[in-house]
Amino acid sequence: MQPVADQVEVIVAHSERATLRVGDVFLKVDAHPTRTGVEVQAMALAPIPTPPVLWRKPPVLAIGVATGTALGRLGEPSPASPAAWTATGAAIRTLHEAPLPPWPGPDVDGIAADLKRECEWLISSGALPAELVKRNREIARAVFRPYPPVFAHGDLQITHVFVVGDEVTGVIDWSEASRGDPLHDLATLTLGHEEHLDDVLAGYGTDVDVEVIRAWWSARSLLAARWLIEHGFDPDSPGCEFDVLRARM
């Protein structure tokens, strides 16, 4: 029998949370135990495939393995077919048309304050040229507009969507789920993979403002950059957040 230690794989680990795979079980340890509570509730309510919740003993949540392979990774070409991206768009539409979760979403004023602070840091630290930051902050202003809230995943990175062939088989990491902006989900999914936006919209429906999706590409990249740097990730890797910001120039 293989020792348990040999079966443990660290998926992600930083000061806020860690995810380990032990055999066919994922163990999520979160410094903010309320997030695992949100995750369990959101997966129970979501009308799209999610992995099974096995047990929860705060701050640990155990979930089963999602079937299939991830839609892709930021900074790398997606191995998934255009039809798989279209199926993902249809799944997101199904989620967004579901009844709203009972808890509120992000505070718009708080997001605006965070964006201001992060832009100031990016300039003062020398992480990015001032003109690049100012241009993307100008673009990002388009996200601050009235919109009807939906059941939003909140962190719909392509690594969180699993497919088999052209079928979505699982969506993971629901700790940021809430009432939110539908275009934020679409932008998060297609960040760094703009070539698949048309495929996603073919499944989701075209009644969206693509300029707001582009604005969220700028906003999300600006908001995430410092956190990524301080937690050992590199937003300046090819195809990642800094390249997304440069593309807006």
Side-chain angles (χ1 to χ4, degrees), residues 69-106:
T69 57
L71 197 60
R73 301 183 69 86
L74 186 62
E76 301 176 8
S78 170
S81 67
W85 283 85
T86 298
T88 301
I92 299 170
R93 187 59 176 250
T94 298
L95 174 66
H96 289 174
E97 291 180 341
L100 294 171
W103 58 93

PDB file of all heavy atoms in Angstrom, residues 69-106:
ATOM      1  N   THR A  69     -10.462  17.638 -17.444  1.00  0.00           N
ATOM      2  CA  THR A  69      -9.263  18.475 -17.365  1.00  0.00           C
ATOM      3  C   THR A  69      -9.665  19.938 -17.417  1.00  0.00           C
ATOM      4  O   THR A  69     -10.714  20.296 -17.957  1.00  0.00           O
ATOM      5  CB  THR A  69      -8.296  18.163 -18.526  1.00  0.00           C
ATOM      6  OG1 THR A  69      -8.989  18.351 -19.781  1.00  0.00           O
ATOM      7  CG2 THR A  69      -7.796  16.730 -18.458  1.00  0.00           C
ATOM      8  N   ALA A  70      -8.800  20.785 -16.856  1.00  0.00           N
ATOM      9  CA  ALA A  70      -9.090  22.218 -16.817  1.00  0.00           C
ATOM     10  C   ALA A  70      -9.146  22.788 -18.231  1.00  0.00           C
ATOM     11  O   ALA A  70      -8.455  22.331 -19.148  1.00  0.00           O
ATOM     12  CB  ALA A  70      -8.040  22.948 -15.997  1.00  0.00           C
ATOM     13  N   LEU A  71      -9.978  23.811 -18.397  1.00  0.00           N
ATOM     14  CA  LEU A  71     -10.140  24.468 -19.687  1.00  0.00           C
ATOM     15  C   LEU A  71      -8.818  25.026 -20.196  1.00  0.00           C
ATOM     16  O   LEU A  71      -8.597  25.143 -21.401  1.00  0.00           O
ATOM     17  CB  LEU A  71     -11.166  25.592 -19.541  1.00  0.00           C
ATOM     18  CG  LEU A  71     -11.819  26.180 -20.780  1.00  0.00           C
ATOM     19  CD1 LEU A  71     -12.576  25.117 -21.569  1.00  0.00           C
ATOM     20  CD2 LEU A  71     -12.754  27.312 -20.392  1.00  0.00           C
ATOM     21  N   GLY A  72      -7.921  25.386 -19.275  1.00  0.00           N
ATOM     22  CA  GLY A  72      -6.620  25.900 -19.667  1.00  0.00           C
ATOM     23  C   GLY A  72      -5.931  26.542 -18.488  1.00  0.00           C
ATOM     24  O   GLY A  72      -6.361  26.403 -17.340  1.00  0.00           O
ATOM     25  N   ARG A  73      -4.845  27.264 -18.775  1.00  0.00           N
ATOM     26  CA  ARG A  73      -4.101  27.995 -17.765  1.00  0.00           C
ATOM     27  C   ARG A  73      -3.731  29.356 -18.328  1.00  0.00           C
ATOM     28  O   ARG A  73      -3.468  29.500 -19.537  1.00  0.00           O
ATOM     29  CB  ARG A  73      -2.821  27.246 -17.350  1.00  0.00           C
ATOM     30  CG  ARG A  73      -3.053  25.858 -16.789  1.00  0.00           C
ATOM     31  CD  ARG A  73      -1.751  25.221 -16.349  1.00  0.00           C
ATOM     32  NE  ARG A  73      -1.219  25.888 -15.172  1.00  0.00           N
ATOM     33  CZ  ARG A  73      -1.579  25.574 -13.925  1.00  0.00           C
ATOM     34  NH1 ARG A  73      -2.469  24.621 -13.698  1.00  0.00           N
ATOM     35  NH2 ARG A  73      -1.055  26.201 -12.893  1.00  0.00           N
ATOM     36  N   LEU A  74      -3.688  30.350 -17.454  1.00  0.00           N
ATOM     37  CA  LEU A  74      -3.291  31.684 -17.878  1.00  0.00           C
ATOM     38  C   LEU A  74      -1.843  31.657 -18.354  1.00  0.00           C
ATOM     39  O   LEU A  74      -0.974  31.084 -17.700  1.00  0.00           O
ATOM     40  CB  LEU A  74      -3.439  32.673 -16.720  1.00  0.00           C
ATOM     41  CG  LEU A  74      -3.186  34.149 -17.044  1.00  0.00           C
ATOM     42  CD1 LEU A  74      -4.182  34.648 -18.082  1.00  0.00           C
ATOM     43  CD2 LEU A  74      -3.281  34.990 -15.771  1.00  0.00           C
ATOM     44  N   GLY A  75      -1.589  32.273 -19.508  1.00  0.00           N
ATOM     45  CA  GLY A  75      -0.236  32.321 -20.040  1.00  0.00           C
ATOM     46  C   GLY A  75       0.115  31.156 -20.945  1.00  0.00           C
ATOM     47  O   GLY A  75       1.222  31.097 -21.483  1.00  0.00           O
ATOM     48  N   GLU A  76      -0.833  30.217 -21.132  1.00  0.00           N
ATOM     49  CA  GLU A  76      -0.595  29.064 -21.991  1.00  0.00           C
ATOM     50  C   GLU A  76      -1.762  28.912 -22.964  1.00  0.00           C
ATOM     51  O   GLU A  76      -2.894  29.257 -22.618  1.00  0.00           O
ATOM     52  CB  GLU A  76      -0.465  27.777 -21.165  1.00  0.00           C
ATOM     53  CG  GLU A  76       0.657  27.794 -20.148  1.00  0.00           C
ATOM     54  CD  GLU A  76       0.671  26.545 -19.287  1.00  0.00           C
ATOM     55  OE1 GLU A  76      -0.109  25.603 -19.596  1.00  0.00           O
ATOM     56  OE2 GLU A  76       1.448  26.499 -18.322  1.00  0.00           O
ATOM     57  N   PRO A  77      -1.508  28.391 -24.166  1.00  0.00           N
ATOM     58  CA  PRO A  77      -2.624  28.134 -25.079  1.00  0.00           C
ATOM     59  C   PRO A  77      -3.587  27.126 -24.464  1.00  0.00           C
ATOM     60  O   PRO A  77      -3.162  26.166 -23.814  1.00  0.00           O
ATOM     61  CB  PRO A  77      -1.937  27.558 -26.327  1.00  0.00           C
ATOM     62  CG  PRO A  77      -0.515  28.002 -26.224  1.00  0.00           C
ATOM     63  CD  PRO A  77      -0.200  28.069 -24.760  1.00  0.00           C
ATOM     64  N   SER A  78      -4.872  27.340 -24.657  1.00  0.00           N
ATOM     65  CA  SER A  78      -5.868  26.410 -24.127  1.00  0.00           C
ATOM     66  C   SER A  78      -5.899  25.142 -24.966  1.00  0.00           C
ATOM     67  O   SER A  78      -5.983  25.207 -26.196  1.00  0.00           O
ATOM     68  CB  SER A  78      -7.250  27.048 -24.111  1.00  0.00           C
ATOM     69  OG  SER A  78      -8.257  26.095 -23.829  1.00  0.00           O
ATOM     70  N   PRO A  79      -5.852  23.960 -24.318  1.00  0.00           N
ATOM     71  CA  PRO A  79      -5.961  22.712 -25.073  1.00  0.00           C
ATOM     72  C   PRO A  79      -7.396  22.367 -25.438  1.00  0.00           C
ATOM     73  O   PRO A  79      -7.633  21.425 -26.199  1.00  0.00           O
ATOM     74  CB  PRO A  79      -5.392  21.674 -24.092  1.00  0.00           C
ATOM     75  CG  PRO A  79      -5.747  22.214 -22.739  1.00  0.00           C
ATOM     76  CD  PRO A  79      -5.636  23.719 -22.873  1.00  0.00           C
ATOM     77  N   ALA A  80      -8.367  23.119 -24.905  1.00  0.00           N
ATOM     78  CA  ALA A  80      -9.774  22.807 -25.120  1.00  0.00           C
ATOM     79  C   ALA A  80     -10.233  23.278 -26.497  1.00  0.00           C
ATOM     80  O   ALA A  80      -9.718  24.245 -27.056  1.00  0.00           O
ATOM     81  CB  ALA A  80     -10.627  23.457 -24.036  1.00  0.00           C
ATOM     82  N   SER A  81     -11.231  22.607 -27.022  1.00  0.00           N
ATOM     83  CA  SER A  81     -11.774  22.939 -28.340  1.00  0.00           C
ATOM     84  C   SER A  81     -12.634  24.193 -28.268  1.00  0.00           C
ATOM     85  O   SER A  81     -13.134  24.561 -27.197  1.00  0.00           O
ATOM     86  CB  SER A  81     -12.627  21.775 -28.850  1.00  0.00           C
ATOM     87  OG  SER A  81     -13.796  21.645 -28.041  1.00  0.00           O
ATOM     88  N   PRO A  82     -12.847  24.876 -29.403  1.00  0.00           N
ATOM     89  CA  PRO A  82     -13.792  25.995 -29.409  1.00  0.00           C
ATOM     90  C   PRO A  82     -15.170  25.591 -28.890  1.00  0.00           C
ATOM     91  O   PRO A  82     -15.840  26.378 -28.206  1.00  0.00           O
ATOM     92  CB  PRO A  82     -13.836  26.398 -30.888  1.00  0.00           C
ATOM     93  CG  PRO A  82     -12.500  25.998 -31.425  1.00  0.00           C
ATOM     94  CD  PRO A  82     -12.158  24.731 -30.705  1.00  0.00           C
ATOM     95  N   ALA A  83     -15.595  24.356 -29.188  1.00  0.00           N
ATOM     96  CA  ALA A  83     -16.905  23.896 -28.714  1.00  0.00           C
ATOM     97  C   ALA A  83     -16.941  23.789 -27.192  1.00  0.00           C
ATOM     98  O   ALA A  83     -17.992  24.024 -26.575  1.00  0.00           O
ATOM     99  CB  ALA A  83     -17.245  22.541 -29.341  1.00  0.00           C
ATOM    100  N   ALA A  84     -15.812  23.447 -26.574  1.00  0.00           N
ATOM    101  CA  ALA A  84     -15.762  23.385 -25.116  1.00  0.00           C
ATOM    102  C   ALA A  84     -15.894  24.780 -24.511  1.00  0.00           C
ATOM    103  O   ALA A  84     -16.554  24.965 -23.479  1.00  0.00           O
ATOM    104  CB  ALA A  84     -14.457  22.727 -24.667  1.00  0.00           C
ATOM    105  N   TRP A  85     -15.283  25.764 -25.142  1.00  0.00           N
ATOM    106  CA  TRP A  85     -15.434  27.148 -24.690  1.00  0.00           C
ATOM    107  C   TRP A  85     -16.887  27.611 -24.860  1.00  0.00           C
ATOM    108  O   TRP A  85     -17.440  28.301 -23.995  1.00  0.00           O
ATOM    109  CB  TRP A  85     -14.492  28.065 -25.457  1.00  0.00           C
ATOM    110  CG  TRP A  85     -13.071  27.993 -25.003  1.00  0.00           C
ATOM    111  CD1 TRP A  85     -12.123  27.094 -25.411  1.00  0.00           C
ATOM    112  CD2 TRP A  85     -12.431  28.841 -24.043  1.00  0.00           C
ATOM    113  NE1 TRP A  85     -10.933  27.339 -24.765  1.00  0.00           N
ATOM    114  CE2 TRP A  85     -11.083  28.406 -23.926  1.00  0.00           C
ATOM    115  CE3 TRP A  85     -12.845  29.928 -23.284  1.00  0.00           C
ATOM    116  CZ2 TRP A  85     -10.169  29.018 -23.084  1.00  0.00           C
ATOM    117  CZ3 TRP A  85     -11.933  30.559 -22.435  1.00  0.00           C
ATOM    118  CH2 TRP A  85     -10.610  30.102 -22.337  1.00  0.00           C
ATOM    119  N   THR A  86     -17.514  27.211 -25.963  1.00  0.00           N
ATOM    120  CA  THR A  86     -18.915  27.566 -26.175  1.00  0.00           C
ATOM    121  C   THR A  86     -19.802  26.912 -25.118  1.00  0.00           C
ATOM    122  O   THR A  86     -20.728  27.543 -24.584  1.00  0.00           O
ATOM    123  CB  THR A  86     -19.360  27.148 -27.589  1.00  0.00           C
ATOM    124  OG1 THR A  86     -18.576  27.862 -28.549  1.00  0.00           O
ATOM    125  CG2 THR A  86     -20.827  27.452 -27.822  1.00  0.00           C
ATOM    126  N   ALA A  87     -19.529  25.654 -24.808  1.00  0.00           N
ATOM    127  CA  ALA A  87     -20.288  24.966 -23.762  1.00  0.00           C
ATOM    128  C   ALA A  87     -20.101  25.646 -22.415  1.00  0.00           C
ATOM    129  O   ALA A  87     -21.037  25.720 -21.603  1.00  0.00           O
ATOM    130  CB  ALA A  87     -19.857  23.502 -23.684  1.00  0.00           C
ATOM    131  N   THR A  88     -18.908  26.169 -22.176  1.00  0.00           N
ATOM    132  CA  THR A  88     -18.656  26.900 -20.933  1.00  0.00           C
ATOM    133  C   THR A  88     -19.497  28.169 -20.889  1.00  0.00           C
ATOM    134  O   THR A  88     -20.063  28.522 -19.844  1.00  0.00           O
ATOM    135  CB  THR A  88     -17.157  27.238 -20.812  1.00  0.00           C
ATOM    136  OG1 THR A  88     -16.398  26.023 -20.833  1.00  0.00           O
ATOM    137  CG2 THR A  88     -16.876  27.987 -19.523  1.00  0.00           C
ATOM    138  N   GLY A  89     -19.581  28.877 -22.012  1.00  0.00           N
ATOM    139  CA  GLY A  89     -20.434  30.059 -22.070  1.00  0.00           C
ATOM    140  C   GLY A  89     -21.880  29.726 -21.759  1.00  0.00           C
ATOM    141  O   GLY A  89     -22.560  30.465 -21.031  1.00  0.00           O
ATOM    142  N   ALA A  90     -22.374  28.602 -22.286  1.00  0.00           N
ATOM    143  CA  ALA A  90     -23.754  28.190 -22.015  1.00  0.00           C
ATOM    144  C   ALA A  90     -23.944  27.851 -20.540  1.00  0.00           C
ATOM    145  O   ALA A  90     -24.987  28.174 -19.950  1.00  0.00           O
ATOM    146  CB  ALA A  90     -24.114  26.993 -22.889  1.00  0.00           C
ATOM    147  N   ALA A  91     -22.948  27.200 -19.925  1.00  0.00           N
ATOM    148  CA  ALA A  91     -23.035  26.863 -18.502  1.00  0.00           C
ATOM    149  C   ALA A  91     -23.068  28.127 -17.645  1.00  0.00           C
ATOM    150  O   ALA A  91     -23.822  28.215 -16.664  1.00  0.00           O
ATOM    151  CB  ALA A  91     -21.862  25.974 -18.103  1.00  0.00           C
ATOM    152  N   ILE A  92     -22.261  29.121 -18.021  1.00  0.00           N
ATOM    153  CA  ILE A  92     -22.256  30.380 -17.265  1.00  0.00           C
ATOM    154  C   ILE A  92     -23.613  31.061 -17.377  1.00  0.00           C
ATOM    155  O   ILE A  92     -24.129  31.610 -16.392  1.00  0.00           O
ATOM    156  CB  ILE A  92     -21.133  31.307 -17.773  1.00  0.00           C
ATOM    157  CG1 ILE A  92     -19.766  30.667 -17.581  1.00  0.00           C
ATOM    158  CG2 ILE A  92     -21.183  32.656 -17.049  1.00  0.00           C
ATOM    159  CD1 ILE A  92     -18.643  31.403 -18.266  1.00  0.00           C
ATOM    160  N   ARG A  93     -24.210  31.028 -18.551  1.00  0.00           N
ATOM    161  CA  ARG A  93     -25.534  31.627 -18.715  1.00  0.00           C
ATOM    162  C   ARG A  93     -26.558  30.936 -17.812  1.00  0.00           C
ATOM    163  O   ARG A  93     -27.413  31.589 -17.187  1.00  0.00           O
ATOM    164  CB  ARG A  93     -25.973  31.552 -20.184  1.00  0.00           C
ATOM    165  CG  ARG A  93     -27.273  32.311 -20.486  1.00  0.00           C
ATOM    166  CD  ARG A  93     -27.114  33.792 -20.134  1.00  0.00           C
ATOM    167  NE  ARG A  93     -28.284  34.577 -20.477  1.00  0.00           N
ATOM    168  CZ  ARG A  93     -28.314  35.485 -21.465  1.00  0.00           C
ATOM    169  NH1 ARG A  93     -27.245  35.683 -22.222  1.00  0.00           N
ATOM    170  NH2 ARG A  93     -29.385  36.183 -21.690  1.00  0.00           N
ATOM    171  N   THR A  94     -26.471  29.604 -17.729  1.00  0.00           N
ATOM    172  CA  THR A  94     -27.366  28.848 -16.846  1.00  0.00           C
ATOM    173  C   THR A  94     -27.193  29.299 -15.399  1.00  0.00           C
ATOM    174  O   THR A  94     -28.181  29.489 -14.671  1.00  0.00           O
ATOM    175  CB  THR A  94     -27.093  27.345 -16.971  1.00  0.00           C
ATOM    176  OG1 THR A  94     -27.365  26.926 -18.311  1.00  0.00           O
ATOM    177  CG2 THR A  94     -27.958  26.541 -16.013  1.00  0.00           C
ATOM    178  N   LEU A  95     -25.952  29.477 -14.974  1.00  0.00           N
ATOM    179  CA  LEU A  95     -25.687  29.954 -13.618  1.00  0.00           C
ATOM    180  C   LEU A  95     -26.269  31.345 -13.412  1.00  0.00           C
ATOM    181  O   LEU A  95     -26.940  31.615 -12.406  1.00  0.00           O
ATOM    182  CB  LEU A  95     -24.175  29.972 -13.358  1.00  0.00           C
ATOM    183  CG  LEU A  95     -23.735  30.577 -12.026  1.00  0.00           C
ATOM    184  CD1 LEU A  95     -24.216  29.728 -10.857  1.00  0.00           C
ATOM    185  CD2 LEU A  95     -22.210  30.739 -11.987  1.00  0.00           C
ATOM    186  N   HIS A  96     -26.028  32.229 -14.348  1.00  0.00           N
ATOM    187  CA  HIS A  96     -26.469  33.616 -14.211  1.00  0.00           C
ATOM    188  C   HIS A  96     -27.989  33.766 -14.240  1.00  0.00           C
ATOM    189  O   HIS A  96     -28.517  34.762 -13.751  1.00  0.00           O
ATOM    190  CB  HIS A  96     -25.832  34.477 -15.309  1.00  0.00           C
ATOM    191  CG  HIS A  96     -24.369  34.690 -15.120  1.00  0.00           C
ATOM    192  ND1 HIS A  96     -23.585  35.327 -16.062  1.00  0.00           N
ATOM    193  CD2 HIS A  96     -23.536  34.356 -14.100  1.00  0.00           C
ATOM    194  CE1 HIS A  96     -22.341  35.374 -15.627  1.00  0.00           C
ATOM    195  NE2 HIS A  96     -22.280  34.788 -14.447  1.00  0.00           N
ATOM    196  N   GLU A  97     -28.685  32.794 -14.813  1.00  0.00           N
ATOM    197  CA  GLU A  97     -30.150  32.850 -14.855  1.00  0.00           C
ATOM    198  C   GLU A  97     -30.793  32.163 -13.652  1.00  0.00           C
ATOM    199  O   GLU A  97     -32.019  32.168 -13.515  1.00  0.00           O
ATOM    200  CB  GLU A  97     -30.651  32.226 -16.157  1.00  0.00           C
ATOM    201  CG  GLU A  97     -30.302  33.068 -17.385  1.00  0.00           C
ATOM    202  CD  GLU A  97     -30.788  32.455 -18.685  1.00  0.00           C
ATOM    203  OE1 GLU A  97     -31.066  31.233 -18.693  1.00  0.00           O
ATOM    204  OE2 GLU A  97     -30.875  33.186 -19.688  1.00  0.00           O
ATOM    205  N   ALA A  98     -29.974  31.573 -12.776  1.00  0.00           N
ATOM    206  CA  ALA A  98     -30.493  30.894 -11.589  1.00  0.00           C
ATOM    207  C   ALA A  98     -30.917  31.916 -10.536  1.00  0.00           C
ATOM    208  O   ALA A  98     -30.510  33.089 -10.579  1.00  0.00           O
ATOM    209  CB  ALA A  98     -29.417  29.981 -11.019  1.00  0.00           C
ATOM    210  N   PRO A  99     -31.757  31.511  -9.572  1.00  0.00           N
ATOM    211  CA  PRO A  99     -32.128  32.421  -8.482  1.00  0.00           C
ATOM    212  C   PRO A  99     -30.900  32.947  -7.752  1.00  0.00           C
ATOM    213  O   PRO A  99     -29.896  32.245  -7.595  1.00  0.00           O
ATOM    214  CB  PRO A  99     -32.981  31.538  -7.566  1.00  0.00           C
ATOM    215  CG  PRO A  99     -33.537  30.489  -8.474  1.00  0.00           C
ATOM    216  CD  PRO A  99     -32.466  30.218  -9.481  1.00  0.00           C
ATOM    217  N   LEU A 100     -30.977  34.194  -7.310  1.00  0.00           N
ATOM    218  CA  LEU A 100     -29.850  34.814  -6.622  1.00  0.00           C
ATOM    219  C   LEU A 100     -29.554  34.106  -5.305  1.00  0.00           C
ATOM    220  O   LEU A 100     -30.477  33.679  -4.607  1.00  0.00           O
ATOM    221  CB  LEU A 100     -30.151  36.288  -6.345  1.00  0.00           C
ATOM    222  CG  LEU A 100     -30.274  37.208  -7.553  1.00  0.00           C
ATOM    223  CD1 LEU A 100     -30.785  38.575  -7.107  1.00  0.00           C
ATOM    224  CD2 LEU A 100     -28.943  37.341  -8.270  1.00  0.00           C
ATOM    225  N   PRO A 101     -28.281  34.001  -4.936  1.00  0.00           N
ATOM    226  CA  PRO A 101     -27.968  33.475  -3.605  1.00  0.00           C
ATOM    227  C   PRO A 101     -28.431  34.461  -2.536  1.00  0.00           C
ATOM    228  O   PRO A 101     -28.577  35.662  -2.816  1.00  0.00           O
ATOM    229  CB  PRO A 101     -26.442  33.354  -3.631  1.00  0.00           C
ATOM    230  CG  PRO A 101     -25.987  34.341  -4.655  1.00  0.00           C
ATOM    231  CD  PRO A 101     -27.081  34.368  -5.689  1.00  0.00           C
ATOM    232  N   PRO A 102     -28.654  33.996  -1.312  1.00  0.00           N
ATOM    233  CA  PRO A 102     -29.241  34.878  -0.294  1.00  0.00           C
ATOM    234  C   PRO A 102     -28.267  35.875   0.314  1.00  0.00           C
ATOM    235  O   PRO A 102     -28.688  36.733   1.070  1.00  0.00           O
ATOM    236  CB  PRO A 102     -29.734  33.893   0.772  1.00  0.00           C
ATOM    237  CG  PRO A 102     -28.882  32.675   0.593  1.00  0.00           C
ATOM    238  CD  PRO A 102     -28.585  32.595  -0.868  1.00  0.00           C
ATOM    239  N   TRP A 103     -26.976  35.779  -0.007  1.00  0.00           N
ATOM    240  CA  TRP A 103     -26.019  36.721   0.559  1.00  0.00           C
ATOM    241  C   TRP A 103     -25.645  37.784  -0.479  1.00  0.00           C
ATOM    242  O   TRP A 103     -25.769  37.573  -1.673  1.00  0.00           O
ATOM    243  CB  TRP A 103     -24.772  35.993   1.075  1.00  0.00           C
ATOM    244  CG  TRP A 103     -24.042  35.167   0.055  1.00  0.00           C
ATOM    245  CD1 TRP A 103     -23.004  35.560  -0.726  1.00  0.00           C
ATOM    246  CD2 TRP A 103     -24.301  33.794  -0.283  1.00  0.00           C
ATOM    247  NE1 TRP A 103     -22.594  34.526  -1.545  1.00  0.00           N
ATOM    248  CE2 TRP A 103     -23.362  33.435  -1.287  1.00  0.00           C
ATOM    249  CE3 TRP A 103     -25.222  32.841   0.154  1.00  0.00           C
ATOM    250  CZ2 TRP A 103     -23.329  32.157  -1.850  1.00  0.00           C
ATOM    251  CZ3 TRP A 103     -25.190  31.571  -0.402  1.00  0.00           C
ATOM    252  CH2 TRP A 103     -24.256  31.241  -1.393  1.00  0.00           C
ATOM    253  N   PRO A 104     -25.194  38.958  -0.009  1.00  0.00           N
ATOM    254  CA  PRO A 104     -24.932  40.073  -0.932  1.00  0.00           C
ATOM    255  C   PRO A 104     -23.642  39.878  -1.717  1.00  0.00           C
ATOM    256  O   PRO A 104     -22.864  38.938  -1.473  1.00  0.00           O
ATOM    257  CB  PRO A 104     -24.818  41.281   0.005  1.00  0.00           C
ATOM    258  CG  PRO A 104     -24.324  40.696   1.288  1.00  0.00           C
ATOM    259  CD  PRO A 104     -24.978  39.343   1.400  1.00  0.00           C
ATOM    260  N   GLY A 105     -23.417  40.795  -2.655  1.00  0.00           N
ATOM    261  CA  GLY A 105     -22.219  40.750  -3.482  1.00  0.00           C
ATOM    262  C   GLY A 105     -21.204  41.793  -3.083  1.00  0.00           C
ATOM    263  O   GLY A 105     -21.327  42.445  -2.041  1.00  0.00           O
ATOM    264  N   PRO A 106     -20.161  41.970  -3.903  1.00  0.00           N
ATOM    265  CA  PRO A 106     -19.108  42.944  -3.604  1.00  0.00           C
ATOM    266  C   PRO A 106     -19.655  44.366  -3.528  1.00  0.00           C
ATOM    267  O   PRO A 106     -20.626  44.710  -4.206  1.00  0.00           O
ATOM    268  CB  PRO A 106     -18.137  42.789  -4.790  1.00  0.00           C
ATOM    269  CG  PRO A 106     -18.452  41.461  -5.389  1.00  0.00           C
ATOM    270  CD  PRO A 106     -19.905  41.236  -5.162  1.00  0.00           C
TER     271      PRO A 106
END
